[in-house]
Amino acid sequence: MIDGLRLGAELMSGGVRFCVYTTTAASCAVRLYEAATPSLTRVMTPVGEGVFATTVEGIGPGTRYMFLLDGRELPDPYARFLPAGVHAPAMVMQSGYAWKSGYPRRRGLSEHIIYELHVGTFSEEGTFAGAQAHLCDLANLGVTAIELMPVTAFAGNRGWGYDSVALYAPHSAYGEPDDLRAFVDEAHSWNLCVFLDVVYNHFGPAGNYLAAYSQDYFTSEVRTPWGEAPNFSNAFMRNYVVDNARYWFDEFHFDGLRLDAVHTIVDHSSRHVLRAVSDVAAGAVPPRILVGEDDRKDLSIATDQGMHGVWVNDFHHQVRVCLTDERDGYFASYRPGAANLARVINRGYSTQTVVYYIQNHDQVGNRAFGTRLSADVSCDAYCAVSSLLLFLPMTPLLFMGQEWAASNPFLFFTDHDPELGARVTEGRRAAFHFFAAFSDLTMREKIPDPQDKRTFSMSKLNWSERQTMPHARVYSLYRKWLWLRRNDPVLRHSRLQCIDATANEEVLVVKRWFGDDVRTLIVNFDARSISLNRIDSAADQTQRLEWCSDNFDEDSTLLRPFAAILLASTRRDLQCRR
């Protein structure tokens, strides 16, 4: 790397400096545009190590440009904004945004309640500004952090964002870069942290021009489900990712990152790229939070690579099997029953922070019909497992609309050209062939077409339904539990060692304690009503009823199906697990 040169476009005094790294071209140039018309082409000078550079005087922010490699016109993969899409000219950017809010109160990951959202479907507008209008709703709900699904540029207007190709450019369909800054700034004014979901393990299938600049950005020695893997032994690819993390922290004030599928990031360097990103997060002022997704359930990344926590699927899978007895696909290794749920809770995550959920974008959107858990079980059952999620000391993550049992699905949607769109759809069906809905020919015909605009539209939240039943009931429950999690002397602490789950037939009993204070959550997963007299944990007369579900009769000793109660007591004979 050449010190002092930033790849892409960089504003200088009196003009703009353009830099390109390539191992595929003998000559490079930059072409400027006025509207859609080329206005000037300037030859770039080689400065060593495959880098070409030139400075164009008299231009500034708003200038659009493309690079020419041996005469072939290419978009800039380092662009800060691609207003007309990933195949079109980039725009030279200078932020004039004046930050109004400081950073929110610092919390460790274990203290957070995370709310995951997709910008395009979170509001009717589907923009950063549209999402910003609902920040007061999230603050009033009681969450502490927002996790944005990827917002970097990808092909087309509609998508989940995991096929991004220009990692420095906010997706133009959502708004301009300063609109994203305004979203983060407004969130901070509500004391909400904002985490960004980033994808460093692969690039999307359309609009990825890095390999046209240099094949060294990728390696054929490592294959991922999405093709050739990024080559982190190459200094330019390594810096592309490490500097990207710094970019989101420094220029957009993000409070943390969630790193997608870190188990597919292969780096044989002496210092793993994940460690390099962790060092950037730790060295930022204030320090930032990193969360990894790892399908191997390998929590070592939290310690080995300096990350703060891990998404864990076990709890979600066990909850769904307990409620629906679903057994195909990756649910096949789980068995229903309160005892099995207790075993998952007791698994022993004693040193790492784990993120639990009963829904997230994957676990809803990767279902053939995008059905939410609330659509597949009774309202009583949904409220019961929602209470359990928010009672546990693990960091809870809510997926947008979960707090009112939103009625709309969250489907997989794309906006590729027809040929690529068809290939993506077929590839997706092959990847999920072990689920009946993807393998049964009759059912497959009913799966909404990801390319159809209606598939995207169906996934948009309907905020007005929060005021109608049964959604209002669920919303009230979430607000109550989030209040308890902030204010209860036991629940506001997150010690994973101070928890014990047991099963009495199909009644789940979970105890948490802090100091001398004990809280016990009892949930009936049986289809029959169960007498509380048969449950040892409910027999202690010194306990008081702290909370009960709507389907529990306080004048009765019967615990109806999916009824739940929270008991408070004081004891001195409980010890934290070591």
Side-chain angles (χ1 to χ4, degrees):
M1 301 293 290
I2 297 178
D3 292 340
L5 291 181
R6 190 185 84 182
L7 296 182
E10 184 177 13
L11 282 167
M12 309 295 290
S13 177
V16 177
R17 182 167 63 192
F18 297 94
C19 291
V20 163
Y21 160 68
T22 179
T23 59
T24 62
S27 66
C28 293
V30 61
R31 176 170 289 166
L32 307 185
Y33 281 79
E34 289 184 4
T37 304
S39 61
L40 172 71
T41 299
R42 177 70 60 84
V43 174
M44 303 174 75
T45 302
V47 295
E49 298 184 33
V51 176
F52 291 73
T54 190
T55 298
V56 180
E57 304 290 341
I59 62 171
T63 301
R64 301 195 184 198
Y65 67 95
M66 298 272 273
F67 290 123
L68 279 73
L69 273 63
D70 289 341
R72 180 189 175 191
E73 199 171 58
L74 294 171
D76 178 11
Y78 290 80
R80 267 43 180 179
F81 192 45
L82 293 160
V86 298
H87 303 293
M91 178 182 284
V92 176
M93 297 301 295
Q94 179 181 43
S95 175
Y97 189 80
W99 292 91
K100 305 176 185 65
S101 304
Y103 288 96
R105 180 175 75 82
R106 293 293 98 185
R107 294 180 173 92
L109 178 61
S110 63
E111 300 176 80
H112 274 297
I113 300 151
I114 305 172
Y115 189 97
E116 184 188 29
L117 68 87
H118 176 267
V119 171
T121 55
F122 183 64
S123 69
E124 184 58 36
E125 298 84 355
T127 61
F128 296 128
Q132 183 176 331
H134 289 290
L135 288 172
C136 59
D137 295 304
L138 301 187
N140 290 332
L141 173 64
V143 300
T144 64
I146 297 160
E147 182 179 306
L148 297 181
M149 289 172 62
V151 300
T152 48
F154 55 85
N157 288 321
R158 307 178 302 277
W160 281 13
Y162 294 92
D163 52 358
S164 300
V165 292
L167 302 192
Y168 290 81
H171 187 53
S172 60
Y174 298 158
E176 297 189 359
D178 276 356
D179 296 327
L180 178 55
R181 292 183 175 94
F183 174 89
V184 175
D185 198 16
E186 179 72 8
H188 287 174
S189 77
W190 288 99
N191 203 32
L192 294 168
C193 291
V194 187
F195 303 155
L196 178 63
D197 198 338
V198 292
V199 184
Y200 294 151
N201 56 349
H202 74 282
F203 289 77
N208 174 21
Y209 291 97
L210 280 170
Y213 286 83
S214 175
Q215 291 288 342
D216 293 345
Y217 277 113
F218 298 93
T219 174
S220 59
E221 295 179 4
V222 178
R223 299 292 298 181
T224 74
W226 310 277
E228 288 188 348
N231 177 18
F232 293 112
S233 297
N234 175 267
F236 289 91
M237 174 56 86
R238 188 179 189 84
N239 285 357
Y240 187 79
V241 163
V242 175
D243 290 344
N244 184 253
R246 185 179 292 110
Y247 171 71
W248 295 121
F249 297 151
D250 292 351
E251 297 198 26
F252 289 83
H253 293 197
F254 278 99
D255 303 281
L257 302 176
R258 181 262 189 190
L259 280 70
D260 183 63
V262 295
H263 56 283
T264 64
I265 296 177
V266 178
D267 183 10
H268 299 299
S269 307
S270 59
R271 181 165 167 259
H272 198 285
V273 68
L274 290 177
R275 169 57 70 177
V277 171
S278 296
D279 289 347
V280 168
V285 180
R288 304 309 211 275
I289 288 174
L290 294 183
V291 183
E293 177 200 24
D294 194 325
D295 281 354
R296 301 169 302 183
K297 296 177 284 189
D298 181 4
L299 302 193
S300 67
I301 62 168
T303 51
D304 294 352
Q305 306 301 347
M307 306 186 80
H308 300 93
V310 189
W311 274 33
V312 175
N313 284 327
D314 267 5
F315 181 71
H316 166 271
H317 294 353
Q318 188 61 63
V319 163
R320 193 167 251 287
V321 169
C322 280
L323 295 184
T324 68
D325 201 20
E326 190 169 342
R327 308 301 289 278
D328 59 350
Y330 43 65
F331 296 116
S333 60
Y334 294 83
R335 297 292 180 268
N340 291 312
L341 186 51
R343 274 193 287 274
V344 167
I345 294 169
N346 287 333
R347 194 172 294 281
Y349 303 120
S350 59
T351 59
Q352 296 95 349
T353 297
V354 295
V355 178
Y356 267 13
Y357 32 81
I358 58 174
Q359 297 184 112
N360 63 32
H361 74 273
D362 273 332
Q363 301 305 336
V364 176
N366 283 334
R367 300 182 69 80
F369 299 96
T371 49
R372 296 170 178 264
L373 179 63
S374 50
D376 290 337
V377 302
S378 70
C379 189
D380 285 347
Y382 183 72
C383 288
V385 294
S386 296
S387 301
L388 176 60
L389 170 71
L390 298 176
F391 173 79
L392 295 175
M394 294 75 173
T395 299
L397 177 138
L398 314 182
F399 181 59
M400 61 178 197
Q402 172 177 331
E403 70 273 25
W404 73 78
S407 62
N408 64 289
F410 182 74
L411 294 153
F412 180 70
F413 44 82
T414 56
D415 186 23
H416 295 303
D417 66 70
E419 181 182 349
L420 177 58
R423 294 207 315 268
V424 169
T425 297
E426 286 307 311
R428 177 176 169 79
R429 288 176 176 178
F432 291 99
H433 70 278
F434 42 76
F435 285 100
F438 285 98
S439 58
D440 182 273
L441 294 180
T442 302
M443 295 185 69
R444 278 174 57 165
E445 293 302 315
K446 299 177 182 178
I447 297 175
D449 179 3
Q451 291 280 100
D452 192 327
K453 287 184 180 179
R454 292 172 295 183
T455 303
F456 170 73
S457 298
M458 285 190 293
S459 300
K460 284 182 177 282
L461 289 180
N462 174 10
W463 283 83
S464 65
E465 66 182 2
R466 281 187 308 168
Q467 284 76 46
T468 63
M469 295 298 285
H471 307 288
R473 172 194 172 190
V474 176
Y475 186 66
S476 176
L477 175 97
Y478 270 82
R479 291 196 65 187
K480 175 63 176 179
W481 270 104
L482 292 176
W483 184 91
L484 284 169
R485 196 173 176 99
R486 292 192 308 273
N487 294 284
D488 184 89
V490 174
L491 304 189
R492 69 183 178 214
H493 296 282
S494 55
R495 298 192 67 184
L496 300 184
Q497 305 97 323
C498 298
I499 182 173
D500 183 64
T502 58
N504 188 326
E505 298 181 20
E506 287 305 307
V507 176
L508 180 71
V509 179
V510 188
K511 289 184 181 292
R512 288 187 58 187
W513 57 93
F514 186 81
D516 292 338
D517 292 314
V518 182
R519 298 294 180 266
T520 304
L521 181 69
I522 302 176
V523 183
N524 182 15
F525 281 89
D526 204 309
R528 306 165 298 149
S529 294
I530 301 293
S531 173
L532 287 172
N533 296 328
R534 296 170 55 186
I535 304 169
D536 292 341
S537 298
D540 186 347
Q541 297 302 309
T542 66
Q543 297 182 104
R544 69 178 185 276
L545 183 65
E546 191 79 4
W547 168 88
C548 62
S549 58
D550 291 348
N551 57 339
F552 176 72
D553 183 354
E554 295 185 45
D555 295 325
S556 171
T557 60
L558 288 179
L559 197 63
R560 295 171 180 163
F562 298 111
I565 58 173
L566 177 64
L567 302 175
S569 61
T570 302
R571 289 185 179 178
R572 300 179 182 276
D573 60 347
L574 292 171
Q575 297 294 322
C576 291
R577 294 197 302 267
R578 300 299 179 188

